[in-house]
Amino acid sequence: MSATPSLDATAINVPVTDQSARGSLHRKIGWQGAFWVASGVPALVLFSIGAIASTVGKPAWLAWMLSISFGFIQAFTYAEIAGMFPHKSGGASVYGAIAWVRYSKFIAPISVWCNWLAWTPVLAIGSGLAAGYILIASFPADAVINTWQITLFDLGFIKTGLALRINATFILGAAVLLGVFGIQHGGILRSSKVTMILGLAALIPLMLIGIVPILTGDVTAANFFPIAPLAYDDVGNVVNGVWDIEGWKLMAGGMFIAAWSTYAFETSVCYTREFRNPKTDTFKAIFYSGLLCIAVFTLVPIAFQADLGLGHLVTPAVLDAAGNVVTPAVYDGMLAPDIYSGMGVASVLAAMLGGGQQIGNIIVIMLVLALLLSIMTSMAGSSRTLYQGAVDGWLPKYLSHANEHGAPTRAMWTDLCFNLALLLMSDYVFVLAVSNVCYIIFNFLNLNSGWIHRLDRPNWVRPYKAPVILLVLGTILSFVNVALMGLGANIWGEGTLWSGVICASLILPVFLFRHYVQDKGIFPKAMVEDMHVGDEDGVKKRAGILPFIAIAVAILIVIGMQQL
């Protein structure tokens, strides 16, 4: 940032000392508050641990370890660019968009939009899983409350078996969403206090689940080795696969879907505009959130796999005369159907700690609290992305409103309504995979924004400046991530990659409406100041065509991996 006093980051748009302005966010928390709001991220392991285990097989634990390692390296780039704009909320996508907008006003909003589309489904998936945990713990699996369903619309043309439906999971999940909305309506300070309480209650069982099996020695090497991809023989029995293209596709798919959880602690920089001391709090928030995530995303998958094992064939598939599958094969262990869907994960994790039915129910309740924590994290982060996107001129103006508590209520209502629609979906894993296509696009744009900012704003003050090696590694990983997406996205459904690309492209008509209809082709004043379009104060387009080359290479990588 320029040394010019008038352009000090804390003086742009809204002063640090402004605590009372209605319609803007308030500076009320330290890094600890953001840490507790982001502490819902470790609970995201519950969302896909079953799906990854039952799809990848024995290498699942390795996929989680590699993924959280990638996420931690990438976090240093996000910490740097967030510190450059402490007057903004909304997370890394907002800071990255400022780098890209000088090269293309149509690429920049994709960053903000994809960040929101990646984060907001946590509300629907988390509330759906929480509802499922409660129903399974309270009623037999074949009880009417668990089996009734009204199908509203068949989406089989997108993915086989996908539909919009109303059932008990939807009704209970909707109630959970409304409860979280009520808490967040009171602003970030109330949210951080509630998440601290939930965090202490919810993270304890996750850490116990990760540590106890290791301490007791309940780790069987046969459940992890040999590190071979999942495969089946002609009868349907589970066998060790080989590392051919099909094996690498499974590994890539596992790491692709794990990224949605393991990279997500970058949300801790989403509250820069609400830090009392953004210059020091920004890096601390993302660094300590990252350490917590390393522990959970390493230990819990290992313990989970150690307890369940890969699984065996229980009931062979039933085929018709033409050889088509009438009834799929049934497996136990990590390959069990309720493990893939996620609905049976809580019961398994509870059983790992022993103690009988009552203790098991307590553990399930604590895991439900963990899911509530992740929902609160998502609503807080995704609504602020919408809010700042509207303030900056990317999204419709109505989203740029905050109530007297500093909560972006219109953005929160938008989140809520959108996720009520997602909650109707019959396959949450598919929803997660599609949203993760958007997340990888956001991730690519923002990791590359780090070096673009270095070139265009070399003299800006950076409260935290990432070592060059970490900035380079983050850039390399941005291309690794798109390769994993190209190779592995469609193992979660043939339409996954294109569905995600289509969702990402929906920002274009939204942005065209905001920019050319509402704003008459002119960005808001505060955004113009951040863009420094006049090349003043040492800010200048120095990257040339390199940003476009980076995008072109990424597209070629995805196409090449798809051809494999």
Side-chain angles (χ1 to χ4, degrees):
M1 188 166 293
S2 170
T4 306
S6 61
L7 292 176
D8 180 72
T10 55
I12 299 176
N13 193 20
V14 182
V16 175
T17 55
D18 182 8
Q19 301 286 347
S20 59
R22 182 181 177 88
S24 66
L25 305 181
H26 299 173
R27 293 193 181 276
K28 289 187 174 182
I29 61 172
W31 71 265
Q32 299 92 336
F35 171 86
W36 286 114
V37 175
S39 65
V41 171
L44 297 182
V45 71
L46 301 173
F47 288 53
S48 55
I49 188 172
I52 292 174
S54 59
T55 301
V56 178
K58 288 182 180 179
W61 65 277
L62 184 59
W64 282 105
M65 289 183 66
L66 289 173
S67 189
I68 186 57
S69 299
F70 289 2
F72 193 70
I73 292 171
Q74 293 165 179
F76 292 91
T77 298
Y78 293 145
E80 175 176 317
I81 63 176
M84 295 171 65
F85 303 98
H87 58 292
K88 285 186 175 294
S89 181
S93 63
V94 172
Y95 319 130
I98 297 174
W100 284 97
V101 70
R102 297 171 59 80
Y103 296 88
S104 172
K105 65 171 62 176
F106 297 104
I107 294 176
I110 294 176
S111 170
V112 178
W113 179 256
C114 284
N115 191 18
W116 176 69
L117 281 178
W119 260 109
T120 191
V122 175
L123 276 67
I125 302 171
S127 59
L129 286 178
Y133 288 2
I134 294 170
L135 291 171
I136 290 175
S138 304
F139 304 96
D142 57 354
V144 174
I145 193 171
N146 282 325
T147 58
W148 76 273
Q149 176 174 299
I150 300 173
T151 300
L152 302 177
F153 191 73
D154 184 9
L155 297 174
F157 62 91
I158 299 177
K159 182 181 185 250
T160 303
L162 189 65
L164 298 179
R165 86 287 185 258
I166 293 177
N167 57 9
T169 300
F170 170 80
I171 294 173
L172 187 55
V176 169
L177 282 181
L178 289 170
V180 171
F181 180 91
I183 294 172
Q184 300 242 330
H185 193 273
I188 190 65
L189 185 59
R190 181 202 288 182
S191 297
S192 65
K193 290 179 179 178
V194 173
T195 52
M196 181 178 67
I197 297 171
L198 283 177
L200 291 172
L203 294 177
I204 289 174
L206 286 177
M207 294 306 298
L208 288 176
I209 288 164
I211 295 173
V212 169
I214 296 174
L215 294 179
T216 58
D218 295 332
V219 179
T220 304
N223 291 343
F224 300 91
F225 301 100
I227 303 178
L230 182 64
Y232 304 90
D233 63 16
D234 294 337
V235 180
N237 293 307
V238 179
V239 296
N240 292 324
V242 296
W243 287 109
D244 55 10
I245 188 60
E246 293 301 318
W248 285 111
K249 277 173 60 178
L250 293 179
M251 188 65 173
M255 291 190 64
F256 162 75
I257 212 72
W260 186 80
S261 303
T262 55
Y263 298 178
F265 67 91
E266 47 83 15
T267 190
S268 57
V269 300
C270 194
Y271 315 100
T272 306
R273 174 62 185 86
E274 294 159 280
F275 286 149
R276 287 189 293 267
N277 188 1
K279 288 187 176 181
T280 58
D281 289 340
T282 301
F283 174 75
K284 290 180 180 178
I286 197 169
F287 180 75
Y288 290 113
S289 296
L291 293 180
L292 173 64
C293 287
I294 287 175
V296 172
F297 288 121
T298 299
L299 295 175
V300 173
I302 288 176
F304 183 77
Q305 190 164 332
D307 182 76
L308 277 183
L310 186 56
H312 302 87
L313 179 66
V314 176
T315 305
V318 177
L319 307 179
D320 60 17
N324 299 313
V325 177
V326 177
T327 305
V330 177
Y331 298 84
D332 59 9
M334 294 195 305
L335 303 179
D338 61 339
I339 296 301
Y340 179 88
S341 68
M343 293 301 178
V345 169
S347 300
V348 171
L349 295 178
M352 288 168 57
L353 297 181
Q357 183 66 35
Q358 290 185 337
I359 298 298
N361 287 338
I362 292 173
I363 297 299
V364 170
I365 291 172
M366 296 177 79
L367 292 175
V368 169
L369 293 178
L371 290 172
L372 289 177
L373 185 61
S374 68
I375 295 169
M376 290 195 65
T377 297
S378 175
M379 183 173 284
S382 60
S383 62
R384 280 157 178 80
T385 299
L386 289 179
Y387 167 86
Q388 192 65 52
V391 170
D392 289 348
W394 308 122
L395 301 175
K397 284 185 177 181
Y398 85 94
L399 295 167
S400 59
H401 168 81
N403 67 7
E404 66 275 11
H405 304 294
T409 46
R410 292 178 185 171
M412 289 164 58
W413 275 113
T414 302
D415 256 347
L416 181 66
C417 294
F418 180 74
N419 278 278
L420 287 175
L422 291 183
L423 194 56
L424 294 169
M425 291 276 190
S426 59
D427 188 343
Y428 294 140
V429 175
F430 181 73
V431 173
L432 189 157
V434 171
S435 73
N436 196 48
V437 172
C438 297
Y439 194 48
I440 295 301
I441 295 172
F442 144 78
N443 178 276
F444 174 82
L445 292 174
N446 284 275
L447 288 175
N448 282 277
S449 75
W451 60 264
I452 295 175
H453 276 308
R454 283 279 184 101
L455 291 176
D456 288 358
R457 296 169 170 81
N459 299 322
W460 275 36
V461 173
R462 289 165 167 82
Y464 169 76
K465 188 172 184 178
V468 173
I469 183 62
L470 291 178
L471 199 69
V472 171
L473 286 175
T475 304
I476 293 172
L477 288 176
S478 73
F479 292 96
V480 173
N481 289 329
V482 296
L484 294 174
M485 178 179 71
L487 185 59
N490 281 350
I491 72 168
W492 306 101
E494 283 302 317
T496 300
L497 182 60
W498 277 112
S499 296
V501 171
I502 291 171
C503 288
S505 67
L506 293 177
I507 183 56
L508 296 178
V510 174
F511 172 66
L512 289 173
F513 170 76
R514 169 62 196 270
H515 189 62
Y516 291 104
V517 176
Q518 290 190 320
D519 291 344
K520 311 303 179 186
I522 301 173
F523 281 105
K525 181 176 182 294
M527 185 59 184
V528 172
E529 292 176 351
D530 288 332
M531 290 162 54
H532 290 256
V533 291
D535 294 341
E536 67 272 22
D537 299 292
V539 179
K540 188 176 182 179
K541 288 175 62 175
R542 296 181 175 89
I545 64 170
L546 291 179
F548 301 103
I549 292 176
I551 292 175
V553 170
I555 293 173
L556 290 175
I557 288 174
V558 172
I559 294 174
M561 290 295 163
Q562 277 285 288
Q563 294 302 312
L564 291 177

